[in-house]
Amino acid sequence: MNISYNWLKQFVNISLNAEKIGEMLTDLGLEIEGITSYQSVKGGLEGVVIGEVLTCKKHPNADKLKLTTVDLGNGDPVQIVCGAPNVAKGQKVPVATIGTELYDDKGEPWKIKKGKIRGEESHGMICAEDELGLGKSHDGIMVLDKSLKVGTKASDVFEIENDQVFEIGLTPNRADAMSHYGVARDLKAGMLQNQVPVELITPSVSAFKIDNRTLKIDVQVEDKELAPRYCGVTITGLKVEESPDWLKHRLKAIGLTPINNIVDITNYTLHELGQPLHAFDASKISNGEIIVKTLPKGTKFTTLDEVERELHEEDLMICDAEKPLCIAGVFGGINSGVTETTTSIFLESAYFNPISIRKTSKRHGLNTDASFRFERGIDPNITEYALKRAALLIQEIAGGEITSDIYDLYPTKIEDSQVVLNFENTANLIGQEIPRETIKQILTSLEITINNVTETGLGLTIPSYRNDVTREADVIEEILRVYGYNNISTTEKLNASISNASKFDDHKLQNVIGNQLVAQGFYEILANSLTTGDHNSLTQGQKDEFNVTMLNPLSQDLSIMRQSLLFSGLEAVSYNINRKRLNLKLFEFGKTYHNYPSGREEHKHLTLLVSGNRNSEAWNTETKNSDFFYVKGVVSSVLQKLGYKNTSYSDVKSDLFSEGLSVQWAKKSLAEFGVIKKSILKHFDIDQEVLFVDFNWDNILDSVKHQKTKFSDLPKYPSVRRDFALLLDESVSFRDIKTIAKKSEKHLLKEVTLFDVYQGKSLPKGKKSYAVSFMLQDESKTLTDKQIDKIMGKLQTNFEKQLGAELR
């Protein structure tokens, strides 16, 4: 949010510079993210002075140019070549001297240099108004008042507005500070705390009066919950035209584009007081009726941006007797706004339900200055005051008469909050005792009314514009931010407690596995738990009826809680690939959310996403793609780190994978991994293969505590390796071989490894060759050849019987 320093000084009489004010606002909780300069004319006419044309004659070498001598007030007249048809002797003119930077219509600078034009020297430029940024005309040079003194700076003549603009990173709860008056109110409290005497200047509306009652508008509010307060007044005989310079400067300084005097005044009042207003062309209001109501779902309505929108049945609308005119608190309609031909208006000032406005704003993707304030909650008691303020400005700038009473429909007054503040609780929460008189002064400076005082605390009334202050803790926070966080001393004693935590605690296991994955080249990501329901169509495992839906979503893309970490992860993969980061190894600890018939559930997961090469390019290292078996190795290393042994694998049943496996231990699923289907990747515009691992972290946390570490002596006797080259059917898997081998020899067989696979023309059709190694070891003695041969014979027999294997 942008706040003008000059505008701020209209409410608080301050002499401190912008940097000091910025520091003070930051200390008050209104963080200044930057201070920028604003000039009503870019460059501030620096280097432009008032000159007098002493001589003017035809250029000897050009028919359309003239040779002039100009007095710049320094006693040394200069020669300037000028092409303007209206230049003449005796004129007072603006002159850009050598070295002056002017700006073109695109805002790009260009410098005035000494040069020759058709053989004649030129020492500057006599300027037209568009060249100085003072207008749009280029018909000729500017001819100024003859009474002006030669050598006077042009910036003094044209009253250039120089301003400093604060960019405030406003937190969502501070709806009271969404205006210059609101920021000034906070600044006053801060300055009083720093012993700087200051008063808050409130614009007067005492001059408001009803001139006549010739234009009456009947106002009806059908839904008083959505529009708790609605005010309006008619103004007749006004003239719509360009705003005066002072008003345009105020709006331009904070980044707004002036439109016309009526619209500019409503924008000015919004940013001055924080109250959005809307001006309707009274001639376009049918039957002189304004009705605030909702309309049937699907009703068509065209907004100011010329987009036809379908209304929701909960969208609050401002209507006349025949048609909708405006989406209340969000955006105006194309056929009811103020135009150059408007002579009478109905001026609206209202307090709308914040939740209703936010839902409507998000539904239609409209984020306006008005909706930004309404949805955070404005002051319901400033509505009429802001209306009078804007009406007086309209009369001052556009003329006209007030031609109706103020319509103020406010059936149920919104009461101020009552809070009891306990002095002991204040000291405990702040960590330091603040003098009670100081607390009272701070509360008074914040316009919080002290109703009663006791030995233990205060009874307080919170003003309606502070809708975020409803509890004792909120009041204490207000005291602390004005008192100054930097004024709270730190203790010399540091207290700490030692927790008795198990090594199997969730956060400890996450750190252990996270560190291991980082060591393997993975990067941790943290994706949003909010996502779009469109992802449900990509898999049968996610159903719309299981969605945990947000009641008030930021947008449709963030309308539900995720049922899987895959899709948010694929968004991260797509984002990186689009920025030429093709080799990715990512992991995330996160939750999924489900709304089952039995109730809502949350499940913890660890997911991995792998794509591209497994290692970076290097002259001495062969580049390899990340494949299924690489990912399987990563899964195995994670489970081994957690202490799992004797895990089993089976084919995955998920429709997310084109091929994959599921890992179990003691009938519990620990993980699923595999290659993501191309149809799913296509949805995210991913062309390269992506592998995905989904660890069921809940099952791991539940079962990992049963994995006990066992220690044993290092074997004293050597191991023996024997190999088989087995001819097998293509349907036989290595898992089958390993299972049979382990059952055949449970004690001496330590390891079974597949080290070569061959399929080719030299083998019978439907066959393949596996080269398998078997590691044998007896920990109590050295194995004999007889023992080894017996075991290998038993293995061979079992392979032949159970798998139909043949030795090659």
Side-chain angles (χ1 to χ4, degrees):
M1 184 184 73
N2 292 332
I3 292 293
S4 158
Y5 179 52
N6 289 348
W7 199 343
L8 202 59
K9 288 193 287 186
Q10 292 180 201
F11 302 106
V12 183
N13 186 16
I14 47 179
S15 57
L16 300 174
N17 60 38
E19 287 73 19
K20 184 64 177 176
I21 294 298
E23 291 174 8
M24 193 173 292
L25 289 173
T26 297
D27 289 342
L28 286 166
L30 302 177
E31 183 182 359
I32 302 300
E33 296 179 341
I35 303 176
T36 57
S37 296
Y38 165 79
Q39 294 175 314
S40 56
V41 174
K42 195 166 186 179
L45 299 183
E46 190 72 29
V48 181
V49 299
I50 306 304
E52 181 177 2
V53 181
L54 302 178
T55 65
C56 180
K57 59 184 180 180
K58 184 181 176 183
H59 193 292
N61 303 319
D63 293 336
K64 294 185 178 182
L65 298 179
K66 294 179 181 178
L67 207 58
T68 67
T69 305
V70 182
D71 181 9
L72 300 180
N74 57 5
D76 188 15
V78 296
Q79 177 174 286
I80 297 177
V81 177
C82 181
N86 64 329
V87 65
K89 178 182 176 181
Q91 292 174 335
K92 295 289 180 68
V93 293
V95 179
T97 58
I98 301 298
T100 299
E101 278 195 347
L102 299 179
Y103 295 82
D104 61 22
D105 55 358
K106 295 181 180 178
E108 297 296 325
W110 57 284
K111 186 174 287 189
I112 302 296
K113 299 178 181 178
K114 176 183 175 181
K116 283 189 176 183
I117 301 176
R118 293 293 183 92
E120 295 292 335
E121 287 190 357
S122 185
H123 297 262
M125 185 176 78
I126 304 174
C127 300
E129 64 177 39
D130 67 327
E131 293 165 333
L132 295 176
L134 296 171
K136 297 180 180 179
S137 174
H138 195 71
D139 296 336
I141 60 167
M142 294 184 73
V143 180
L144 307 177
D145 192 324
K146 289 189 177 183
S147 64
L148 292 174
K149 184 179 179 181
V150 173
T152 303
K153 291 181 179 180
S155 58
D156 295 336
V157 174
F158 295 105
E159 297 181 352
I160 303 302
E161 173 94 359
N162 291 294
D163 199 357
Q164 299 284 91
V165 180
F166 303 106
E167 183 181 348
I168 298 181
L170 197 65
T171 53
N173 65 305
R174 292 303 306 276
D176 63 295
M178 292 189 295
S179 66
H180 286 76
Y181 184 74
V183 172
R185 192 164 47 202
D186 247 27
L187 184 59
K188 179 202 73 171
M191 295 179 74
L192 289 175
Q193 176 61 24
N194 286 287
Q195 309 302 317
V196 180
V198 68
E199 288 187 9
L200 185 64
I201 303 167
T202 305
S204 174
V205 294
S206 60
F208 180 87
K209 65 182 179 65
I210 300 165
D211 297 303
N212 55 68
R213 293 175 174 82
T214 56
L215 181 57
K216 184 180 179 182
I217 300 288
D218 290 327
V219 179
Q220 302 174 40
V221 177
E222 292 188 1
D223 195 327
K224 295 177 177 58
E225 287 189 7
L226 299 185
R229 188 174 189 183
Y230 191 88
C231 297
V233 72
T234 62
I235 305 174
T236 303
L238 52 81
K239 184 179 180 181
V240 178
E241 57 187 359
E242 187 176 348
S243 295
D245 287 342
W246 71 266
L247 178 53
K248 290 192 289 186
H249 293 334
R250 287 286 180 264
L251 297 180
K252 286 180 178 178
I254 60 174
L256 298 182
T257 302
I259 298 172
N260 61 52
N261 52 2
I262 304 301
V263 175
D264 292 349
I265 287 168
T266 61
N267 285 331
Y268 178 87
T269 307
L270 181 149
H271 288 276
E272 179 186 52
L273 301 175
Q275 171 66 54
L277 300 106
H278 192 75
F280 299 91
D281 188 328
S283 66
K284 298 174 182 176
I285 300 175
S286 299
N287 294 343
E289 292 182 21
I290 287 289
I291 307 170
V292 184
K293 62 181 181 179
T294 56
L295 294 175
K297 183 178 181 179
T299 301
K300 307 289 186 183
F301 180 68
T302 304
T303 45
L304 277 171
D305 54 2
E306 300 182 356
V307 175
E308 185 179 75
R309 304 176 188 276
E310 281 195 10
L311 299 179
H312 189 272
E313 66 268 20
E314 294 181 358
D315 292 337
L316 187 65
M317 302 296 295
I318 312 299
C319 308
D320 62 18
E322 298 175 354
K323 60 188 180 297
L325 304 176
C326 171
I327 302 177
V330 180
F331 212 28
I334 195 168
N335 296 318
S336 63
V338 173
T339 65
E340 293 178 356
T341 61
T342 299
T343 58
S344 60
I345 64 169
F346 174 74
L347 187 62
E348 168 197 276
S349 178
Y351 175 82
F352 296 119
N353 183 290
I355 296 174
S356 170
I357 297 301
R358 182 170 178 79
K359 286 183 176 180
T360 296
S361 172
K362 299 308 175 187
R363 260 195 298 267
H364 297 289
L366 293 170
N367 185 21
T368 61
D369 283 339
S371 68
F372 181 79
R373 284 156 178 80
F374 276 127
E375 66 189 32
R376 283 160 176 78
I378 62 171
D379 181 5
N381 293 329
I382 203 176
T383 308
E384 183 182 6
Y385 169 76
L387 184 68
K388 290 180 178 180
R389 169 67 171 158
L392 288 172
L393 285 172
I394 289 172
Q395 283 188 295
E396 176 188 337
I397 294 170
E401 296 179 329
I402 307 295
T403 52
S404 76
D405 292 312
I406 288 181
Y407 307 96
D408 187 2
L409 302 182
Y410 195 15
T412 305
K413 189 176 186 301
I414 297 174
E415 299 295 337
D416 295 338
S417 299
Q418 305 294 320
V419 176
V420 175
L421 177 70
N422 183 280
F423 291 130
E424 185 178 350
N425 291 343
T426 303
N428 289 339
L429 197 56
I430 291 175
Q432 177 178 316
E433 190 162 336
I434 296 175
R436 295 184 180 185
E437 284 305 313
T438 301
I439 290 176
K440 294 176 187 177
Q441 290 170 9
I442 290 173
L443 293 173
T444 302
S445 70
L446 290 170
E447 300 181 4
I448 294 175
T449 303
I450 301 175
N451 301 321
N452 54 74
V453 182
T454 67
E455 281 298 314
T456 58
L458 305 172
L460 307 173
T461 298
I462 311 301
S464 56
Y465 59 80
R466 289 311 305 269
N467 56 34
D468 62 319
V469 181
T470 58
R471 306 168 301 164
E472 181 185 40
D474 300 328
V475 175
I476 295 171
E477 183 183 359
E478 291 297 295
I479 295 169
L480 180 56
R481 71 180 182 86
V482 176
Y483 183 76
Y485 292 98
N486 295 333
N487 294 325
I488 303 299
S489 59
T490 56
T491 60
E492 296 179 357
K493 182 180 178 182
L494 180 63
N495 296 323
S497 59
I498 300 174
S499 63
N500 181 19
S502 166
K503 67 177 182 179
F504 300 117
D505 282 357
D506 188 3
H507 70 280
K508 288 191 174 183
L509 289 179
Q510 286 192 30
N511 285 336
V512 169
I513 299 305
N515 289 337
Q516 174 169 316
L517 290 170
V518 168
Q520 291 177 297
F522 282 78
Y523 288 88
E524 185 170 9
I525 63 173
L526 183 63
N528 199 332
S529 294
L530 296 174
T531 186
T532 174
D534 295 343
H535 293 156
N536 290 352
S537 62
L538 300 176
T539 172
Q540 295 181 359
Q542 293 187 192
K543 297 181 179 180
D544 291 340
E545 57 265 32
F546 295 158
N547 286 341
V548 178
T549 305
M550 304 302 294
L551 294 175
N552 192 18
L554 291 170
S555 69
Q556 289 304 308
D557 289 339
L558 300 171
S559 59
I560 67 168
M561 305 289 281
R562 61 184 176 183
Q563 293 189 48
S564 170
L565 273 64
L566 170 63
F567 303 119
S568 53
L570 288 177
E571 288 173 350
V573 170
S574 177
Y575 182 90
N576 280 273
I577 289 175
N578 290 338
R579 285 153 184 79
K580 305 304 179 184
R581 292 184 60 86
L582 306 180
N583 305 321
L584 300 169
K585 289 194 270 186
L586 310 174
F587 75 95
E588 178 182 9
F589 288 98
K591 290 182 178 181
T592 59
Y593 307 86
H594 313 270
N595 188 19
Y596 295 130
S598 57
R600 294 181 178 177
E601 296 182 12
E602 294 182 15
H603 299 298
K604 296 178 181 178
H605 295 261
L606 163 62
T607 58
L608 316 181
L609 286 152
V610 180
S611 187
N613 296 331
R614 67 177 72 175
N615 55 285
S616 302
E617 291 181 342
W619 66 273
N620 60 348
T621 306
E622 182 183 355
T623 301
K624 293 183 178 180
N625 284 331
S626 300
D627 56 18
F628 181 87
F629 297 102
Y630 168 72
V631 169
K632 184 182 178 184
V634 174
V635 172
S636 297
S637 68
V638 169
L639 295 177
Q640 287 174 11
K641 185 70 174 179
L642 292 168
Y644 285 98
K645 295 180 181 179
N646 302 320
T647 55
S648 60
Y649 292 82
S650 60
D651 292 333
V652 73
K653 297 178 181 179
S654 172
D655 63 350
L656 299 173
F657 303 108
S658 58
E659 58 176 320
L661 290 175
S662 175
V663 189
Q664 297 89 28
W665 179 86
K667 297 183 180 181
K668 285 192 174 186
S669 175
L670 300 182
E672 292 182 348
F673 63 94
V675 181
I676 297 299
K677 285 183 177 178
K678 290 183 178 180
S679 59
I680 295 176
L681 298 180
K682 185 178 180 181
H683 182 83
F684 296 90
D685 296 323
I686 299 174
D687 295 327
Q688 62 190 56
E689 186 177 78
V690 177
L691 297 111
F692 178 64
V693 183
D694 185 1
F695 288 96
N696 189 322
W697 198 248
D698 284 325
N699 283 350
I700 287 174
L701 291 176
D702 185 54
S703 58
V704 71
K705 54 193 173 187
H706 301 297
Q707 310 303 315
K708 295 182 179 179
T709 303
K710 295 181 180 180
F711 296 90
S712 60
D713 294 333
L714 291 173
K716 299 178 181 179
Y717 301 97
S719 60
V720 176
R721 170 175 165 167
R722 292 288 186 268
D723 298 340
F724 275 163
L726 300 171
L727 185 65
L728 303 159
D729 292 336
E730 286 184 344
S731 60
V732 176
S733 68
F734 172 67
R735 183 170 65 239
D736 298 329
I737 297 173
K738 188 173 182 179
T739 301
I740 293 171
K742 289 288 187 180
K743 289 181 178 179
S744 301
E745 178 52 59
K746 297 180 180 179
H747 303 293
L748 300 181
L749 182 60
K750 303 299 182 182
E751 190 176 334
V752 182
T753 306
L754 176 67
F755 65 89
D756 188 39
V757 178
Y758 175 72
Q759 288 176 293
K761 295 180 180 179
S762 60
L763 297 180
K765 186 177 180 180
K767 295 289 186 178
K768 61 183 177 183
S769 175
Y770 274 3
V772 184
S773 67
F774 302 90
M775 195 69 67
L776 304 170
Q777 188 177 41
D778 189 335
E779 297 176 3
S780 60
K781 60 183 178 180
T782 302
L783 287 171
T784 63
D785 289 340
K786 185 176 180 180
Q787 285 178 293
I788 295 168
D789 291 341
K790 182 180 178 181
I791 293 170
M792 296 308 295
K794 186 178 180 181
L795 290 175
Q796 179 182 344
T797 301
N798 289 338
F799 291 151
E800 290 173 348
K801 287 181 178 180
Q802 297 181 42
L803 300 177
E806 298 178 29
L807 286 182
R808 293 188 65 202

